[in-house]
Amino acid sequence: MRKLIVIIVILLTFLSTFSQFLKVGFLLGSPYAFWKGEKFGGIDYDILKKVVSDMDYQLEIYILPFTALKPEILNVLNLDIVAGGIHMTEERKKTFSFSIPYIQSGLAIVLRNGLQWNGDVEKITFAVKESATGQKVIQDWLKEGKKVKYKIFVSNEEILANLLTKKIDAAFFDYINALYFSRVYGFSVYKDLIYKIDVGYIILNKSIEKEFNEKLKKLLDTYVKRVLTSYVGSWK
């Protein structure tokens, strides 16, 4: 009887450990988090799967639109982490708690195939993703009196489709996004970035913040670099 009790206790302990999950909301967008056929993957998925495993948790995936990146939405979703190439802007850092940065990226301009551009923003039509940083850049240009033409979309997929069909001339993308799209679709990336910035994960569950950052930090110089290189090749 005593042996049976011991076995049951061990089994329950094992099941309890095995059933621990970290709920991660992924903002869809290649190459950070996207569907590859029926399989989900991407830079952030690969990195977080490793970090979460090192923390002895399992990864529970939730798919979010980029427009969910608002406190009134995220605070009611009961998630632990939000990922998806999120730029650590000063405005966002006032609103959310971020992990340590795992890469420096920036905001790049991607040009459709065959377009030669001298940098005059009034000469081409831009695509911007709703609520993304590129939309703010356009608004700032308009405030400066520049006559900028643009269209608003809700996803990277829509923007890519319009770039490929040449219905728009250029789009704003995270620099890592831009390198990936250049590699896959042959787009060109304008030589000057709008800005450079750190990329990190939003941590909604403060109880895991310290351990999460410790595990992530150990992977920066090895695992994270290998993951990035596998998706975008070398980068500056």
mmCIF file of all heavy atoms in Angstrom, residues 31-32 42-44 46-48 50-51 101-104 176 179 183 201 215-236:
data_model
loop_
_atom_site.group_PDB
_atom_site.id
_atom_site.type_symbol
_atom_site.label_atom_id
_atom_site.label_comp_id
_atom_site.label_asym_id
_atom_site.label_seq_id
_atom_site.Cartn_x
_atom_site.Cartn_y
_atom_site.Cartn_z
ATOM 1 N N PRO A 31 9.220 36.983 -40.809
ATOM 2 C CA PRO A 31 9.554 35.603 -40.459
ATOM 3 C C PRO A 31 9.461 35.327 -38.953
ATOM 4 O O PRO A 31 9.953 34.311 -38.483
ATOM 5 C CB PRO A 31 11.008 35.492 -40.911
ATOM 6 C CG PRO A 31 11.570 36.853 -40.589
ATOM 7 C CD PRO A 31 10.437 37.829 -40.857
ATOM 8 N N TYR A 32 8.837 36.238 -38.191
ATOM 9 C CA TYR A 32 8.813 36.069 -36.737
ATOM 10 C C TYR A 32 7.848 34.974 -36.293
ATOM 11 O O TYR A 32 8.168 34.173 -35.418
ATOM 12 C CB TYR A 32 8.438 37.395 -36.062
ATOM 13 C CG TYR A 32 9.534 38.431 -36.113
ATOM 14 C CD1 TYR A 32 9.483 39.480 -37.029
ATOM 15 C CD2 TYR A 32 10.611 38.383 -35.242
ATOM 16 C CE1 TYR A 32 10.480 40.437 -37.077
ATOM 17 C CE2 TYR A 32 11.607 39.339 -35.279
ATOM 18 C CZ TYR A 32 11.541 40.363 -36.204
ATOM 19 O OH TYR A 32 12.533 41.308 -36.253
ATOM 20 N N GLY A 42 8.668 30.119 -37.241
ATOM 21 C CA GLY A 42 9.181 31.478 -37.311
ATOM 22 C C GLY A 42 10.263 31.724 -36.273
ATOM 23 O O GLY A 42 10.523 30.895 -35.388
ATOM 24 N N ILE A 43 10.916 32.852 -36.383
ATOM 25 C CA ILE A 43 12.014 33.210 -35.489
ATOM 26 C C ILE A 43 11.572 33.196 -34.034
ATOM 27 O O ILE A 43 12.210 32.571 -33.174
ATOM 28 C CB ILE A 43 12.573 34.604 -35.873
ATOM 29 C CG1 ILE A 43 13.301 34.540 -37.215
ATOM 30 C CG2 ILE A 43 13.518 35.121 -34.782
ATOM 31 C CD1 ILE A 43 13.684 35.894 -37.765
ATOM 32 N N ASP A 44 10.489 33.894 -33.739
ATOM 33 C CA ASP A 44 10.039 33.975 -32.345
ATOM 34 C C ASP A 44 9.535 32.631 -31.838
ATOM 35 O O ASP A 44 9.748 32.291 -30.669
ATOM 36 C CB ASP A 44 8.939 35.041 -32.194
ATOM 37 C CG ASP A 44 9.525 36.437 -32.102
ATOM 38 O OD1 ASP A 44 10.682 36.555 -31.698
ATOM 39 O OD2 ASP A 44 8.826 37.395 -32.439
ATOM 40 N N ASP A 46 10.647 29.666 -32.765
ATOM 41 C CA ASP A 46 11.820 28.831 -32.516
ATOM 42 C C ASP A 46 12.548 29.244 -31.232
ATOM 43 O O ASP A 46 12.961 28.396 -30.436
ATOM 44 C CB ASP A 46 12.787 28.912 -33.696
ATOM 45 C CG ASP A 46 12.243 28.248 -34.952
ATOM 46 O OD1 ASP A 46 11.203 27.562 -34.858
ATOM 47 O OD2 ASP A 46 12.843 28.424 -36.031
ATOM 48 N N ILE A 47 12.703 30.559 -31.046
ATOM 49 C CA ILE A 47 13.393 31.041 -29.847
ATOM 50 C C ILE A 47 12.590 30.740 -28.592
ATOM 51 O O ILE A 47 13.114 30.214 -27.599
ATOM 52 C CB ILE A 47 13.663 32.558 -29.956
ATOM 53 C CG1 ILE A 47 14.690 32.837 -31.067
ATOM 54 C CG2 ILE A 47 14.174 33.119 -28.618
ATOM 55 C CD1 ILE A 47 14.872 34.306 -31.368
ATOM 56 N N LEU A 48 11.304 31.047 -28.623
ATOM 57 C CA LEU A 48 10.483 30.875 -27.427
ATOM 58 C C LEU A 48 10.265 29.408 -27.080
ATOM 59 O O LEU A 48 10.169 29.057 -25.900
ATOM 60 C CB LEU A 48 9.145 31.587 -27.600
ATOM 61 C CG LEU A 48 9.237 33.111 -27.519
ATOM 62 C CD1 LEU A 48 7.901 33.750 -27.849
ATOM 63 C CD2 LEU A 48 9.710 33.552 -26.150
ATOM 64 N N LYS A 50 12.466 27.147 -27.321
ATOM 65 C CA LYS A 50 13.673 26.778 -26.599
ATOM 66 C C LYS A 50 13.698 27.392 -25.204
ATOM 67 O O LYS A 50 14.002 26.708 -24.205
ATOM 68 C CB LYS A 50 14.896 27.232 -27.403
ATOM 69 C CG LYS A 50 16.238 27.070 -26.694
ATOM 70 C CD LYS A 50 16.574 25.621 -26.419
ATOM 71 C CE LYS A 50 17.984 25.502 -25.857
ATOM 72 N NZ LYS A 50 18.271 24.126 -25.356
ATOM 73 N N VAL A 51 13.370 28.675 -25.094
ATOM 74 C CA VAL A 51 13.375 29.351 -23.789
ATOM 75 C C VAL A 51 12.383 28.698 -22.842
ATOM 76 O O VAL A 51 12.695 28.393 -21.679
ATOM 77 C CB VAL A 51 13.052 30.855 -23.930
ATOM 78 C CG1 VAL A 51 12.916 31.506 -22.556
ATOM 79 C CG2 VAL A 51 14.129 31.563 -24.741
ATOM 80 N N PRO A 101 16.131 42.819 -24.723
ATOM 81 C CA PRO A 101 16.085 42.724 -26.193
ATOM 82 C C PRO A 101 16.881 41.514 -26.675
ATOM 83 O O PRO A 101 17.898 41.162 -26.083
ATOM 84 C CB PRO A 101 16.729 44.034 -26.647
ATOM 85 C CG PRO A 101 17.560 44.492 -25.491
ATOM 86 C CD PRO A 101 16.853 44.013 -24.256
ATOM 87 N N TYR A 102 16.411 40.883 -27.723
ATOM 88 C CA TYR A 102 17.136 39.737 -28.254
ATOM 89 C C TYR A 102 17.760 40.017 -29.612
ATOM 90 O O TYR A 102 18.517 39.204 -30.141
ATOM 91 C CB TYR A 102 16.241 38.494 -28.315
ATOM 92 C CG TYR A 102 15.029 38.608 -29.205
ATOM 93 C CD1 TYR A 102 15.052 38.160 -30.523
ATOM 94 C CD2 TYR A 102 13.836 39.147 -28.721
ATOM 95 C CE1 TYR A 102 13.943 38.258 -31.333
ATOM 96 C CE2 TYR A 102 12.721 39.235 -29.519
ATOM 97 C CZ TYR A 102 12.775 38.792 -30.828
ATOM 98 O OH TYR A 102 11.656 38.893 -31.625
ATOM 99 N N ILE A 103 17.461 41.172 -30.199
ATOM 100 C CA ILE A 103 18.097 41.589 -31.439
ATOM 101 C C ILE A 103 17.871 43.082 -31.620
ATOM 102 O O ILE A 103 16.903 43.642 -31.090
ATOM 103 C CB ILE A 103 17.525 40.824 -32.650
ATOM 104 C CG1 ILE A 103 18.350 41.117 -33.899
ATOM 105 C CG2 ILE A 103 16.067 41.166 -32.882
ATOM 106 C CD1 ILE A 103 17.942 40.309 -35.112
ATOM 107 N N GLN A 104 18.782 43.728 -32.350
ATOM 108 C CA GLN A 104 18.520 45.105 -32.774
ATOM 109 C C GLN A 104 18.062 45.064 -34.222
ATOM 110 O O GLN A 104 18.703 44.458 -35.072
ATOM 111 C CB GLN A 104 19.757 45.998 -32.658
ATOM 112 C CG GLN A 104 19.425 47.451 -32.980
ATOM 113 C CD GLN A 104 20.613 48.384 -32.893
ATOM 114 O OE1 GLN A 104 21.508 48.341 -33.719
ATOM 115 N NE2 GLN A 104 20.621 49.220 -31.863
ATOM 116 N N ILE A 176 14.284 43.019 -40.096
ATOM 117 C CA ILE A 176 14.413 41.576 -40.240
ATOM 118 C C ILE A 176 13.344 41.042 -41.198
ATOM 119 O O ILE A 176 13.617 40.187 -42.042
ATOM 120 C CB ILE A 176 14.310 40.872 -38.869
ATOM 121 C CG1 ILE A 176 15.410 41.394 -37.929
ATOM 122 C CG2 ILE A 176 14.414 39.365 -39.030
ATOM 123 C CD1 ILE A 176 16.813 41.174 -38.429
ATOM 124 N N LEU A 179 14.570 41.888 -44.742
ATOM 125 C CA LEU A 179 15.606 40.984 -45.232
ATOM 126 C C LEU A 179 15.011 39.646 -45.665
ATOM 127 O O LEU A 179 15.418 39.072 -46.677
ATOM 128 C CB LEU A 179 16.660 40.761 -44.145
ATOM 129 C CG LEU A 179 17.525 41.961 -43.770
ATOM 130 C CD1 LEU A 179 18.464 41.590 -42.626
ATOM 131 C CD2 LEU A 179 18.322 42.466 -44.967
ATOM 132 N N ARG A 183 14.844 38.110 -49.476
ATOM 133 C CA ARG A 183 15.385 36.776 -49.769
ATOM 134 C C ARG A 183 14.352 35.897 -50.471
ATOM 135 O O ARG A 183 14.684 35.147 -51.395
ATOM 136 C CB ARG A 183 15.818 36.133 -48.449
ATOM 137 C CG ARG A 183 16.671 34.896 -48.582
ATOM 138 C CD ARG A 183 17.017 34.357 -47.203
ATOM 139 N NE ARG A 183 18.063 33.364 -47.256
ATOM 140 C CZ ARG A 183 18.451 32.622 -46.227
ATOM 141 N NH1 ARG A 183 17.866 32.774 -45.045
ATOM 142 N NH2 ARG A 183 19.422 31.742 -46.357
ATOM 143 N N TYR A 201 10.210 40.870 -26.189
ATOM 144 C CA TYR A 201 8.922 40.231 -25.919
ATOM 145 C C TYR A 201 8.184 40.989 -24.816
ATOM 146 O O TYR A 201 8.801 41.420 -23.839
ATOM 147 C CB TYR A 201 9.122 38.784 -25.483
ATOM 148 C CG TYR A 201 9.863 37.952 -26.492
ATOM 149 C CD1 TYR A 201 11.108 37.404 -26.195
ATOM 150 C CD2 TYR A 201 9.324 37.720 -27.751
ATOM 151 C CE1 TYR A 201 11.795 36.645 -27.130
ATOM 152 C CE2 TYR A 201 9.993 36.964 -28.698
ATOM 153 C CZ TYR A 201 11.238 36.436 -28.382
ATOM 154 O OH TYR A 201 11.905 35.691 -29.321
ATOM 155 N N LYS A 215 17.044 32.905 -18.918
ATOM 156 C CA LYS A 215 17.149 31.850 -19.920
ATOM 157 C C LYS A 215 17.392 32.439 -21.312
ATOM 158 O O LYS A 215 18.196 31.910 -22.094
ATOM 159 C CB LYS A 215 15.884 30.997 -19.939
ATOM 160 C CG LYS A 215 15.573 30.290 -18.624
ATOM 161 C CD LYS A 215 16.642 29.291 -18.236
ATOM 162 C CE LYS A 215 16.236 28.528 -16.987
ATOM 163 N NZ LYS A 215 17.290 27.590 -16.532
ATOM 164 N N LEU A 216 16.700 33.528 -21.630
ATOM 165 C CA LEU A 216 16.870 34.164 -22.936
ATOM 166 C C LEU A 216 18.288 34.697 -23.100
ATOM 167 O O LEU A 216 18.910 34.539 -24.160
ATOM 168 C CB LEU A 216 15.850 35.291 -23.105
ATOM 169 C CG LEU A 216 15.931 36.113 -24.399
ATOM 170 C CD1 LEU A 216 15.763 35.219 -25.625
ATOM 171 C CD2 LEU A 216 14.872 37.218 -24.395
ATOM 172 N N LYS A 217 18.819 35.327 -22.074
ATOM 173 C CA LYS A 217 20.159 35.910 -22.133
ATOM 174 C C LYS A 217 21.215 34.861 -22.468
ATOM 175 O O LYS A 217 22.160 35.126 -23.224
ATOM 176 C CB LYS A 217 20.491 36.595 -20.804
ATOM 177 C CG LYS A 217 21.809 37.352 -20.820
ATOM 178 C CD LYS A 217 22.027 38.084 -19.506
ATOM 179 C CE LYS A 217 23.334 38.868 -19.535
ATOM 180 N NZ LYS A 217 23.556 39.591 -18.253
ATOM 181 N N LYS A 218 21.067 33.657 -21.935
ATOM 182 C CA LYS A 218 22.034 32.585 -22.179
ATOM 183 C C LYS A 218 22.041 32.118 -23.631
ATOM 184 O O LYS A 218 23.014 31.504 -24.083
ATOM 185 C CB LYS A 218 21.737 31.402 -21.260
ATOM 186 C CG LYS A 218 22.039 31.662 -19.789
ATOM 187 C CD LYS A 218 21.718 30.444 -18.940
ATOM 188 C CE LYS A 218 22.033 30.706 -17.471
ATOM 189 N NZ LYS A 218 21.708 29.521 -16.617
ATOM 190 N N LEU A 219 20.972 32.416 -24.351
ATOM 191 C CA LEU A 219 20.848 31.938 -25.726
ATOM 192 C C LEU A 219 21.247 32.976 -26.774
ATOM 193 O O LEU A 219 21.337 32.655 -27.963
ATOM 194 C CB LEU A 219 19.402 31.512 -25.992
ATOM 195 C CG LEU A 219 18.831 30.391 -25.127
ATOM 196 C CD1 LEU A 219 17.364 30.172 -25.477
ATOM 197 C CD2 LEU A 219 19.612 29.099 -25.313
ATOM 198 N N LEU A 220 21.487 34.211 -26.359
ATOM 199 C CA LEU A 220 21.655 35.309 -27.312
ATOM 200 C C LEU A 220 22.824 35.110 -28.269
ATOM 201 O O LEU A 220 22.708 35.353 -29.471
ATOM 202 C CB LEU A 220 21.813 36.639 -26.567
ATOM 203 C CG LEU A 220 20.586 37.142 -25.800
ATOM 204 C CD1 LEU A 220 20.889 38.472 -25.130
ATOM 205 C CD2 LEU A 220 19.379 37.275 -26.724
ATOM 206 N N ASP A 221 23.973 34.713 -27.759
ATOM 207 C CA ASP A 221 25.176 34.650 -28.595
ATOM 208 C C ASP A 221 25.295 33.367 -29.409
ATOM 209 O O ASP A 221 26.176 33.265 -30.269
ATOM 210 C CB ASP A 221 26.429 34.805 -27.715
ATOM 211 C CG ASP A 221 26.530 36.196 -27.102
ATOM 212 O OD1 ASP A 221 26.044 37.147 -27.730
ATOM 213 O OD2 ASP A 221 27.084 36.312 -25.998
ATOM 214 N N THR A 222 24.431 32.412 -29.165
ATOM 215 C CA THR A 222 24.547 31.137 -29.870
ATOM 216 C C THR A 222 23.239 30.784 -30.573
ATOM 217 O O THR A 222 23.105 30.956 -31.785
ATOM 218 C CB THR A 222 24.938 30.023 -28.880
ATOM 219 O OG1 THR A 222 24.009 30.017 -27.775
ATOM 220 C CG2 THR A 222 26.341 30.249 -28.346
ATOM 221 N N TYR A 223 22.293 30.323 -29.809
ATOM 222 C CA TYR A 223 21.058 29.805 -30.383
ATOM 223 C C TYR A 223 20.289 30.875 -31.163
ATOM 224 O O TYR A 223 19.845 30.636 -32.297
ATOM 225 C CB TYR A 223 20.178 29.221 -29.290
ATOM 226 C CG TYR A 223 18.929 28.550 -29.809
ATOM 227 C CD1 TYR A 223 18.977 27.260 -30.321
ATOM 228 C CD2 TYR A 223 17.710 29.214 -29.797
ATOM 229 C CE1 TYR A 223 17.836 26.640 -30.815
ATOM 230 C CE2 TYR A 223 16.567 28.608 -30.289
ATOM 231 C CZ TYR A 223 16.639 27.330 -30.788
ATOM 232 O OH TYR A 223 15.506 26.726 -31.287
ATOM 233 N N VAL A 224 20.115 32.052 -30.572
ATOM 234 C CA VAL A 224 19.342 33.115 -31.230
ATOM 235 C C VAL A 224 19.985 33.504 -32.555
ATOM 236 O O VAL A 224 19.295 33.679 -33.572
ATOM 237 C CB VAL A 224 19.206 34.346 -30.304
ATOM 238 C CG1 VAL A 224 18.608 35.523 -31.063
ATOM 239 C CG2 VAL A 224 18.324 34.008 -29.099
ATOM 240 N N LYS A 225 21.303 33.633 -32.583
ATOM 241 C CA LYS A 225 21.983 33.990 -33.831
ATOM 242 C C LYS A 225 21.800 32.932 -34.902
ATOM 243 O O LYS A 225 21.621 33.243 -36.077
ATOM 244 C CB LYS A 225 23.469 34.228 -33.557
ATOM 245 C CG LYS A 225 23.762 35.545 -32.846
ATOM 246 C CD LYS A 225 25.253 35.794 -32.739
ATOM 247 C CE LYS A 225 25.520 37.148 -32.102
ATOM 248 N NZ LYS A 225 26.985 37.421 -31.983
ATOM 249 N N ARG A 226 21.843 31.665 -34.500
ATOM 250 C CA ARG A 226 21.644 30.587 -35.474
ATOM 251 C C ARG A 226 20.230 30.624 -36.051
ATOM 252 O O ARG A 226 20.034 30.415 -37.252
ATOM 253 C CB ARG A 226 21.906 29.228 -34.824
ATOM 254 C CG ARG A 226 23.369 28.934 -34.546
ATOM 255 C CD ARG A 226 23.612 27.438 -34.381
ATOM 256 N NE ARG A 226 22.795 26.840 -33.342
ATOM 257 C CZ ARG A 226 23.150 26.741 -32.065
ATOM 258 N NH1 ARG A 226 24.323 27.241 -31.673
ATOM 259 N NH2 ARG A 226 22.361 26.174 -31.172
ATOM 260 N N VAL A 227 19.249 30.878 -35.185
ATOM 261 C CA VAL A 227 17.864 30.959 -35.654
ATOM 262 C C VAL A 227 17.701 32.099 -36.659
ATOM 263 O O VAL A 227 17.126 31.916 -37.744
ATOM 264 C CB VAL A 227 16.898 31.147 -34.463
ATOM 265 C CG1 VAL A 227 15.492 31.499 -34.967
ATOM 266 C CG2 VAL A 227 16.838 29.885 -33.615
ATOM 267 N N LEU A 228 18.219 33.269 -36.328
ATOM 268 C CA LEU A 228 18.086 34.424 -37.226
ATOM 269 C C LEU A 228 18.754 34.168 -38.562
ATOM 270 O O LEU A 228 18.194 34.463 -39.628
ATOM 271 C CB LEU A 228 18.690 35.661 -36.549
ATOM 272 C CG LEU A 228 17.851 36.270 -35.432
ATOM 273 C CD1 LEU A 228 18.699 37.195 -34.574
ATOM 274 C CD2 LEU A 228 16.669 37.037 -36.007
ATOM 275 N N THR A 229 19.950 33.621 -38.516
ATOM 276 C CA THR A 229 20.678 33.351 -39.760
ATOM 277 C C THR A 229 19.923 32.354 -40.641
ATOM 278 O O THR A 229 19.933 32.464 -41.855
ATOM 279 C CB THR A 229 22.086 32.805 -39.438
ATOM 280 O OG1 THR A 229 22.802 33.774 -38.666
ATOM 281 C CG2 THR A 229 22.871 32.535 -40.717
ATOM 282 N N SER A 230 19.247 31.395 -40.028
ATOM 283 C CA SER A 230 18.518 30.393 -40.808
ATOM 284 C C SER A 230 17.354 31.007 -41.583
ATOM 285 O O SER A 230 16.944 30.475 -42.608
ATOM 286 C CB SER A 230 18.006 29.276 -39.886
ATOM 287 O OG SER A 230 16.949 29.732 -39.068
ATOM 288 N N TYR A 231 16.837 32.125 -41.114
ATOM 289 C CA TYR A 231 15.696 32.764 -41.775
ATOM 290 C C TYR A 231 16.102 33.898 -42.722
ATOM 291 O O TYR A 231 15.480 34.079 -43.775
ATOM 292 C CB TYR A 231 14.705 33.310 -40.745
ATOM 293 C CG TYR A 231 13.838 32.252 -40.112
ATOM 294 C CD1 TYR A 231 14.223 31.616 -38.948
ATOM 295 C CD2 TYR A 231 12.640 31.860 -40.712
ATOM 296 C CE1 TYR A 231 13.441 30.631 -38.365
ATOM 297 C CE2 TYR A 231 11.846 30.878 -40.140
ATOM 298 C CZ TYR A 231 12.254 30.268 -38.969
ATOM 299 O OH TYR A 231 11.463 29.278 -38.394
ATOM 300 N N VAL A 232 17.097 34.700 -42.339
ATOM 301 C CA VAL A 232 17.404 35.896 -43.142
ATOM 302 C C VAL A 232 18.831 35.934 -43.679
ATOM 303 O O VAL A 232 19.206 36.874 -44.376
ATOM 304 C CB VAL A 232 17.136 37.179 -42.317
ATOM 305 C CG1 VAL A 232 15.709 37.229 -41.847
ATOM 306 C CG2 VAL A 232 18.105 37.319 -41.142
ATOM 307 N N GLY A 233 19.648 34.930 -43.369
ATOM 308 C CA GLY A 233 21.039 34.984 -43.767
ATOM 309 C C GLY A 233 21.794 35.960 -42.879
ATOM 310 O O GLY A 233 21.409 36.194 -41.727
ATOM 311 N N SER A 234 22.824 36.559 -43.389
ATOM 312 C CA SER A 234 23.593 37.518 -42.597
ATOM 313 C C SER A 234 22.865 38.852 -42.572
ATOM 314 O O SER A 234 22.086 39.187 -43.463
ATOM 315 C CB SER A 234 24.996 37.708 -43.182
ATOM 316 O OG SER A 234 24.908 38.175 -44.513
ATOM 317 N N TRP A 235 23.106 39.629 -41.547
ATOM 318 C CA TRP A 235 22.498 40.959 -41.448
ATOM 319 C C TRP A 235 23.479 41.885 -40.752
ATOM 320 O O TRP A 235 24.390 41.478 -40.048
ATOM 321 C CB TRP A 235 21.175 40.901 -40.680
ATOM 322 C CG TRP A 235 21.306 40.736 -39.202
ATOM 323 C CD1 TRP A 235 21.287 41.688 -38.238
ATOM 324 C CD2 TRP A 235 21.504 39.481 -38.501
ATOM 325 N NE1 TRP A 235 21.448 41.140 -37.012
ATOM 326 C CE2 TRP A 235 21.587 39.787 -37.132
ATOM 327 C CE3 TRP A 235 21.610 38.159 -38.919
ATOM 328 C CZ2 TRP A 235 21.778 38.811 -36.180
ATOM 329 C CZ3 TRP A 235 21.803 37.196 -37.956
ATOM 330 C CH2 TRP A 235 21.873 37.520 -36.603
ATOM 331 N N LYS A 236 23.254 43.203 -40.953
ATOM 332 C CA LYS A 236 24.154 44.214 -40.368
ATOM 333 C C LYS A 236 23.634 44.623 -39.009
ATOM 334 O O LYS A 236 22.448 44.713 -38.791
ATOM 335 C CB LYS A 236 24.237 45.435 -41.289
ATOM 336 C CG LYS A 236 24.830 45.111 -42.649
ATOM 337 C CD LYS A 236 24.863 46.351 -43.514
ATOM 338 C CE LYS A 236 25.427 46.057 -44.892
ATOM 339 N NZ LYS A 236 25.454 47.253 -45.765
#
